[in-house]
Amino acid sequence: MNGRMFDVLVIGSGHAGCEAAAAAARRGAKVGLISFRPNDAGQMSCNPSIGGVGKGHLVRELDVFDGLMARAADRAAIHRRMLNRSKGPAVWGPRVQADRQLFRSAIELLLQSLPIERIVGEVTSLRLNGNEVVAVVLGDGTIIKARSVVVATGTFLDARTYLGLECRSAGRAGERSAIPLAAQMREVGLAARRLKTGTPPRLDGRTIDWARLEEQPSDDEAWRFSAHPEHLPSVPQLRCAITRTTIATHDLIRKSEDQSPLYAGLIEGRGPRYCPSIEDKVRRFGDRDGHQIFLEPESLSDHLVYPNGVSTSLPLAVQQAFIRTIPGLERAEIVRPGYAVEYEHVDPRRLTPELAVRDMRGLFLAGQINGTTGYEEAAAQGLVAGLNAAAYARTLSPVLFDRRSSYIGVMVDDLTLQGVTEPYRMMTARAEYRLALRADNAVTRLGQAAIESGALSAERRSAIERHLASRGTAAFAESQEGQADALYAPYIERQRREWAEVERSRQVRVPSSLSFGGIAGLSAEMVERLTLARPHDLDQASRIPGMTPAGLTALHLAVTRAAA
Amino acid sequence: MRRADERGNDPRVSDTIFALSSGTLPAAIAVVRISGPEAFAAAERLAGDLPPPRTLSLRSLRDEGGELVDKALVAIFPAPATATGEPLVELHCHGSRAVVARVLEVLAAVPGLRHAEPGEFTRRALQNGRLDLTEAEGLGDLLAAETEWQRRAALRAADGGLRRQVEQWREELVMLAARAEAAIDYVDEEETELDLSELHEAAERLRSEWIAALEAPRAEPLQQGLRIVLGGPTNAGKSSLLNALVGCNRAIVTDIPGTTRDLIEVALDLRGIKVILVDTAGLRESEDRVEQIGVSRSMDALRDADLILWLGAPEDAPAHPEIILVHARADERAGEVVPREAIATSGRTGVGLDDLTDALRRRCEALLPAPEQTSLNRRQAEALREASDALNSLKAGDPLLTAEALRQAMYALDRLSGRQSTEDLLDALFGRFCLGK
């Protein structure tokens, strides 16, 4: 291995890493994928589901570029729901429960179908030549040369897990964390802040009283994520169930607050507001008489059940006690305790829209390391980083995503301009053009760009071409996409007029040499934000948090003067 | 004198400007402001040693020759916490025309200083982030305020009265939008179940407030003056009346019908309210091409008037919501009956002019926003109209299109206040609902 040269080396084989490696390989790059352990690819560390509102859109968009996640989720689906069916097609959210083992083996098979070299080891450092990445160094001293490196280490960067007041250095329960790499990231000024996330205990499904619980059946229609699905062996569809916490649950949790690492001051990282631990829910929303819990089977081949809604880092004894105050779970056994994980992330404002580190040539970052949460968000970033790392290594055109035509574009734009203050999750509320960005029209929106990227199989390419050619036919008008197009046509026409306005602001480029510190009318805070995010044009600048019209006028003036 | 753009690419280095910043002279006190990097140095040249920042001290202002110009109170304000964001000096001089003219002359002779262009202090404040857009508009109006009435309304906008109102509307709207968004992005959570008709009712209440604000008098007549058009047949005494109201012979008056052929506009301070009096060609059929054009201009002026003084027969008056009937040349029409509700006047004897001025003043006040009332200018009204239109199209039974309408309205209010609401929306969402599993 010593002395070998790759176009793209990907560190980490989670959802971001796998998509990055696969996308780079599809663009013809020579790719190496490095992970701590063999067969580590495609693990779902938290809830066993793929998709949802906003997230489902990301999966559909990934699929247009021949990404892995949609196809793997189709193969592993054991429960399907099209969320928001009653609320209009633009916000329908395809979501599946995926069998963990089936999902992993599907990802493994898809990776094996591509020319990707798998490497087992821990990357302890990146080798730099000036401000350029030239190689990675493994724990055993092996040096692997690469033209570009994609770091997709998820929560593993100097990660610590918490169970009660007990803290371990681990990226996932029972797995070690990447400490030397974190130290180097800090050294080159990339590590920013710590974030926190958590996971609920896993229950033994055989100890749950299913008969007493409200059932949530799978959709009748076996819809697929992939626009061009394979013929799949039929997988049995399971049922989920709904229950809720009780006053007794909340009393117990309140009494145990002193044993929570969240309130003992151990965890400094900020957790998401939208996916709070049950301790947080009880503390912040104490007036509620109960919080819903969805009991989701994890697999066909074991009995694990994921109680969605009770993420916690309380000690195991407290977890066991409060679980049993919940209807249907009076006799439930915990197989694995819930825990919190705190990890380091990079300020994504340091990245370009290609997800390349702005002042470090050849270095790309994707996934939770950029401050996001969720498999879909990670995978979508993996696609962006992989396509563009290959472009960098092989001098191909970059592939850029626009917030007017994709949720991927919304996410990359949000991350690189606004940064994160909590783990970033995709929501349709973030997409100002969401009537045009639907899960049903991903191929139409991104098909041409996908074809131009050259990252497609021949079958996919011709399927996209067929779809694009079919628009305008009577059959298309009858299709789900065609009907949704007609429904939203007047609204989209108005958006087009707004785009004209946006386009004018886009024409005003902010030169990369412009020193924001010298612009009168910008507060020190604004100067710092602009310097970090380095907006490319006035339109981007207008989306930087805290930007006032006065500030924008000042910037516009400075840009105009600089150009004169 | 170096100009800002010749100093390289650092736009913070601007030149130093000065101007009389207080009202019309003569006055008891006149305030001259100097703003820019050379402000303190310039003040030092005139006043000698400077007082400590933000302290008014008496100084003798002298010209280059050492001759005394005025004894004035001097205050200096270091950047950035000044009205313009730059180093700022105020010279409180005696308010005579001669003194102020001489002070400005001496300042103009200081290298690097120049007289400010209209509104330039405000523009610098805006550029230096000392004002937001609604505040700047209020201040801009303040600078242009020519009358007491305008000054009071402008002060209120600059003080953020409009900003506070918009902020309150925006907060209410953000809460409504958060409810709709929560229902879309957080499915399956009992918290976020949406009562669409209740949401529509709340939006309708908000919209009716906006419509009331839109229907209230606008800010523009405050700056531009209400247009009061004198109309009537030829030789009705319009030009005499105009001259009498203005107090000078502004319009040519003869007893030849059709003397006035074009519009004559005169600005007038009507006891604190700025008005424009417009004299028009008398309305009659005419073969004269020039007079025909004049008559057609008269018709246009009458149509666009804020208020009409009608000097003809009441039954011939044009249809217009604001008309005052005037029985002009009353001294020459002794035998005639003054029509009901008409005010009898005579430009020659001055009879009835006070009554007419009182009536005018009362009608004008009603047409202008009260000084205490938040008034919108055209840009602000446009944004509010857009927000209100967005909420007008709420569709029953479609939560997504409802959410879109609320977002459109929110973006429109953002343009009014210059804020971005998406983060506020998410804050409202997560602050109010227990979301996520």
Side-chain angles (χ1 to χ4, degrees):
Chain A
M1 192 69 70
N2 248 330
R4 305 238 343 249
M5 174 60 113
F6 287 91
D7 288 327
V8 179
L9 262 182
V10 179
I11 308 173
S13 64
H15 305 284
C18 289
E19 295 288 353
R26 291 195 302 273
R27 282 200 100 178
K30 187 170 157 48
V31 178
L33 176 58
I34 311 173
S35 59
F36 273 174
R37 303 191 303 192
N39 308 318
D40 220 7
Q43 275 214 53
M44 293 192 283
S45 339
C46 198
N47 61 325
S49 74
I50 301 283
V53 181
K55 289 163 171 278
H57 291 75
L58 288 174
V59 179
R60 286 269 167 91
E61 290 174 7
L62 258 168
D63 179 61
V64 181
F65 285 81
D66 243 349
L68 314 178
M69 185 168 261
R71 287 179 284 163
D74 283 341
R75 290 187 197 180
I78 52 177
H79 185 275
R80 289 183 167 82
R81 279 184 73 206
M82 185 64 79
L83 304 176
N84 271 342
R85 266 225 198 257
S86 65
K87 297 199 186 92
V91 291
W92 286 6
R95 178 185 190 270
V96 302
Q97 293 290 127
D99 179 292
R100 270 181 210 287
Q101 281 76 32
L102 289 179
F103 187 83
R104 251 169 79 175
S105 55
I107 290 282
E108 193 59 51
L109 268 173
L110 289 166
L111 285 177
Q112 281 167 17
S113 72
L114 291 161
I116 295 171
E117 190 157 335
R118 306 292 285 277
I119 302 162
V120 175
E122 177 183 354
V123 173
T124 51
S125 67
L126 306 174
R127 181 148 291 189
L128 307 175
N129 179 10
N131 67 344
E132 190 176 1
V133 178
V134 293
V136 306
V137 184
L138 300 188
D140 63 1
T142 309
I143 294 168
I144 310 173
K145 288 199 257 180
R147 294 190 175 84
S148 68
V149 172
V150 179
V151 180
T153 48
T155 62
F156 278 59
L157 218 51
D158 192 11
R160 283 171 223 155
T161 58
Y162 291 87
L163 175 58
L165 302 180
E166 192 182 314
C167 162
R168 288 165 200 266
S169 168
R172 191 154 46 204
E175 294 178 41
R176 65 200 151 126
S177 123
I179 295 172
L181 189 59
Q184 190 192 19
M185 295 296 246
R186 240 171 270 146
E187 229 167 77
V188 299
L190 275 177
R193 265 190 313 260
R194 296 181 76 76
L195 288 172
K196 175 239 137 183
T197 183
T199 190
R202 305 302 198 273
L203 309 178
D204 184 336
R206 293 167 299 187
T207 61
I208 294 173
D209 191 355
W210 295 98
R212 289 182 49 205
L213 299 174
E214 181 194 338
E215 182 187 316
Q216 192 172 53
S218 181
D219 285 350
D220 292 334
E221 181 203 347
W223 51 262
R224 300 292 159 81
F225 269 119
S226 181
H228 306 290
E230 319 153 276
H231 290 289
L232 298 175
S234 79
V235 173
Q237 300 292 290
L238 300 180
R239 304 175 316 178
C240 297
I242 304 172
T243 181
R244 55 192 292 126
T245 57
T246 60
I247 300 286
T249 320
H250 299 175
D251 287 345
L252 232 163
I253 289 170
R254 248 183 236 117
K255 255 191 290 178
S256 315
E257 264 194 359
D258 58 337
Q259 298 176 63
S260 161
L262 293 176
Y263 305 128
L266 292 179
I267 295 182
E268 54 180 278
R270 185 158 175 195
R273 290 172 294 183
Y274 42 78
C275 190
S277 59
I278 187 68
E279 309 68 306
D280 257 352
K281 289 185 190 178
V282 169
R283 185 176 255 214
R284 287 179 48 209
F285 298 94
D287 54 324
R288 311 292 203 272
D289 60 356
H291 296 276
Q292 272 188 317
I293 302 170
F294 293 81
L295 297 171
E296 301 169 346
E298 291 207 351
S299 176
L300 297 169
S301 53
D302 62 32
H303 303 285
L304 288 186
V305 168
Y306 183 97
N308 204 342
V310 286
S311 163
T312 181
S313 53
L314 287 165
L316 178 56
V318 180
Q319 293 187 22
Q320 185 66 72
F322 86 66
I323 284 291
R324 293 191 171 176
T325 61
I326 296 167
L329 305 183
E330 291 87 348
R331 296 183 305 108
E333 292 290 344
I334 290 179
V335 181
R336 277 209 306 269
Y339 59 90
V341 56
E342 192 192 34
Y343 55 99
E344 215 151 280
H345 78 96
V346 172
D347 185 340
R349 290 177 295 180
R350 299 281 303 273
L351 306 177
T352 68
E354 290 100 332
L355 296 185
V357 177
R358 196 179 297 109
D359 36 23
M360 185 92 51
R361 288 167 52 78
L363 183 59
F364 293 76
L365 305 181
Q368 256 173 310
I369 190 173
N370 291 336
T372 61
T373 174
Y375 308 146
E376 304 82 358
E377 288 84 349
Q381 289 173 69
L383 174 78
V384 177
L387 290 172
N388 288 299
Y392 173 81
R394 298 181 59 82
T395 337
L396 307 171
S397 325
V399 181
L400 297 175
F401 290 83
D402 188 326
R403 64 184 298 130
R404 293 180 299 180
S405 56
S406 67
Y407 274 81
I408 299 180
V410 170
M411 174 172 65
V412 170
D413 190 74
D414 284 351
L415 289 175
T416 58
L417 287 178
Q418 312 199 2
V420 295
T421 51
E422 66 180 333
Y424 180 97
R425 174 199 196 268
M426 186 40 77
M427 287 184 275
T428 70
R430 298 190 191 277
E432 60 273 51
Y433 304 121
R434 69 179 158 196
L435 295 184
L437 309 186
R438 306 190 308 265
D440 65 53
N441 68 356
V443 176
T444 301
R445 290 187 277 121
L446 296 171
Q448 196 54 42
I451 288 171
E452 283 162 17
S453 76
L456 306 181
S457 66
E459 298 80 29
R460 174 74 67 160
R461 188 192 164 107
S462 59
I464 291 176
E465 282 166 349
R466 276 199 307 279
H467 181 86
L468 294 180
S470 79
R471 290 178 58 80
T473 63
F476 177 84
E478 289 296 302
S479 71
Q480 202 180 81
E481 182 184 351
Q483 289 181 1
D485 277 355
L487 174 64
Y488 294 126
Y491 301 89
I492 288 170
E493 188 44 45
R494 189 190 58 206
Q495 288 188 343
R496 272 189 222 293
R497 288 197 296 272
E498 284 170 21
W499 290 357
E501 194 72 34
V502 170
E503 213 43 63
R504 270 198 289 284
S505 298
R506 286 194 173 194
Q507 297 308 317
V508 183
R509 294 282 154 84
V510 178
S512 57
S513 60
L514 186 74
S515 155
F516 297 107
I519 300 174
L522 296 177
S523 65
E525 195 185 4
M526 217 45 240
V527 168
E528 192 195 327
R529 286 180 185 170
L530 282 164
T531 308
L532 265 168
R534 286 235 69 100
H536 175 257
D537 52 47
L538 219 55
D539 170 50
Q540 289 196 343
S542 73
R543 286 195 299 277
I544 290 177
M547 181 54 96
T548 60
L552 211 58
T553 308
L555 179 62
H556 194 165
L557 225 74
V559 168
T560 315
R561 282 184 187 171
Chain B
M1 191 182 81
R2 284 185 298 175
R3 292 177 56 92
D5 51 357
E6 289 164 2
R7 294 193 178 197
N9 56 9
D10 184 354
R12 180 170 289 173
V13 182
S14 54
D15 46 11
T16 299
I17 54 174
F18 62 89
L20 172 65
S21 296
S22 56
T24 319
L25 300 175
I29 297 168
V31 178
V32 174
R33 274 184 165 175
I34 314 168
S35 175
E38 303 293 323
F40 291 177
E44 216 167 345
R45 283 171 82 119
L46 270 73
D49 72 310
L50 296 178
R54 299 169 199 291
T55 321
L56 271 179
S57 289
L58 188 67
R59 290 288 186 278
S60 296
L61 304 184
R62 294 175 187 280
D63 66 13
E64 318 81 289
E67 201 176 305
L68 186 68
V69 177
D70 190 21
K71 288 205 162 203
L73 289 171
V74 176
I76 66 167
F77 305 89
T82 71
T84 56
E86 299 177 325
L88 184 76
V89 174
E90 284 186 5
L91 308 174
H92 297 221
C93 309
H94 291 96
S96 91
R97 286 201 180 93
V99 166
V100 172
R102 182 66 191 139
V103 169
L104 296 180
E105 215 175 283
V106 173
L107 282 173
V110 177
L113 263 65
R114 67 174 171 80
H115 207 279
E117 288 158 25
E120 200 169 5
F121 284 101
T122 310
R123 216 154 53 232
R124 289 195 175 188
L126 180 69
Q127 278 173 18
N128 291 324
R130 303 293 302 169
L131 298 167
D132 79 17
L133 219 51
T134 55
E135 285 177 307
E137 279 170 12
L139 254 185
D141 295 348
L142 184 62
L143 296 177
E146 287 166 54
T147 66
E148 177 63 14
W149 193 275
Q150 279 172 275
R151 192 186 67 76
R152 279 157 67 197
L155 260 181
R156 192 177 146 71
D159 186 35
L162 178 67
R163 197 184 50 186
R164 276 195 299 278
Q165 176 64 76
V166 171
E167 193 49 37
Q168 191 193 326
W169 284 334
R170 204 182 67 92
E171 271 170 27
E172 286 174 39
L173 186 62
V174 163
M175 284 315 296
L176 295 183
R179 277 159 64 186
E181 297 295 337
I184 288 167
D185 274 317
Y186 290 88
V187 195
D188 279 349
E189 310 208 14
E190 47 206 350
E191 294 253 341
T192 64
E193 271 166 32
L194 190 62
D195 183 342
L196 207 54
S197 61
E198 194 220 337
L199 194 66
H200 283 198
E201 277 166 30
E204 189 47 45
R205 278 196 297 276
L206 202 50
R207 198 174 83 92
S208 60
E209 280 186 43
W210 297 346
I211 288 176
L214 285 168
E215 283 170 355
R218 285 295 153 70
E220 274 89 0
L222 268 182
Q223 289 98 48
Q224 291 154 16
L226 287 167
R227 289 179 71 81
I228 301 176
V229 179
L230 291 83
T234 53
N235 231 10
K238 298 183 291 297
S239 300
S240 313
L241 184 58
L242 178 115
N243 287 341
L245 286 169
V246 174
C248 68
N249 284 328
R250 183 62 184 75
I252 300 167
V253 179
T254 69
D255 50 11
I256 305 164
T259 303
T260 304
R261 293 185 156 205
D262 202 352
L263 302 181
I264 295 175
E265 299 190 1
V266 188
L268 181 66
D269 182 341
L270 192 72
R271 296 186 206 154
I273 297 179
K274 183 173 174 181
V275 298
I276 313 253
L277 286 180
V278 185
D279 190 13
T280 59
L283 302 179
R284 67 167 178 185
E285 300 287 326
S286 170
E287 297 298 312
D288 183 333
R289 279 290 306 282
V290 178
E291 196 176 349
Q292 280 173 3
I293 294 170
V295 168
S296 116
R297 286 188 181 171
S298 298
M299 307 289 271
D300 291 346
L302 286 167
R303 197 191 54 228
D304 296 338
D306 291 308
L307 175 64
I308 291 174
L309 292 185
W310 182 251
L311 280 69
E315 59 272 20
D316 296 337
H320 192 284
E322 301 292 341
I323 291 190
I324 293 179
L325 298 176
V326 180
H327 186 72
R329 300 171 69 170
D331 55 325
E332 299 166 38
R333 300 158 76 180
E336 293 179 39
V337 178
V338 179
R340 230 159 54 86
E341 289 175 19
I343 298 169
T345 63
S346 163
R348 198 177 310 166
T349 66
V351 163
L353 283 180
D354 279 349
D355 289 349
L356 179 60
T357 309
D358 285 346
L360 268 178
R361 163 83 207 210
R362 273 197 308 278
R363 295 287 276 269
C364 287
E365 266 183 40
L367 287 173
L368 289 175
E372 299 72 34
Q373 188 184 351
T374 297
S375 56
L376 303 166
N377 66 24
R378 188 169 293 114
R379 181 190 73 90
Q380 294 159 343
E382 255 170 37
L384 198 59
R385 168 84 56 206
E386 198 183 319
S388 144
D389 286 350
L391 294 195
N392 190 26
S393 56
L394 292 185
K395 273 225 179 71
D398 194 326
L400 175 59
L401 292 180
T402 298
E404 283 302 300
L406 289 167
R407 284 214 300 194
Q408 285 305 320
M410 204 172 75
Y411 293 152
L413 284 199
D414 283 358
R415 277 197 284 286
L416 193 52
S417 65
R419 294 190 49 153
Q420 294 165 314
S421 292
T422 307
E423 261 313 300
D424 295 333
L425 178 117
L426 297 181
D427 281 341
L429 204 102
F430 296 127
R432 182 175 165 135
F433 304 111
C434 179
L435 296 175
K437 300 170 203 160

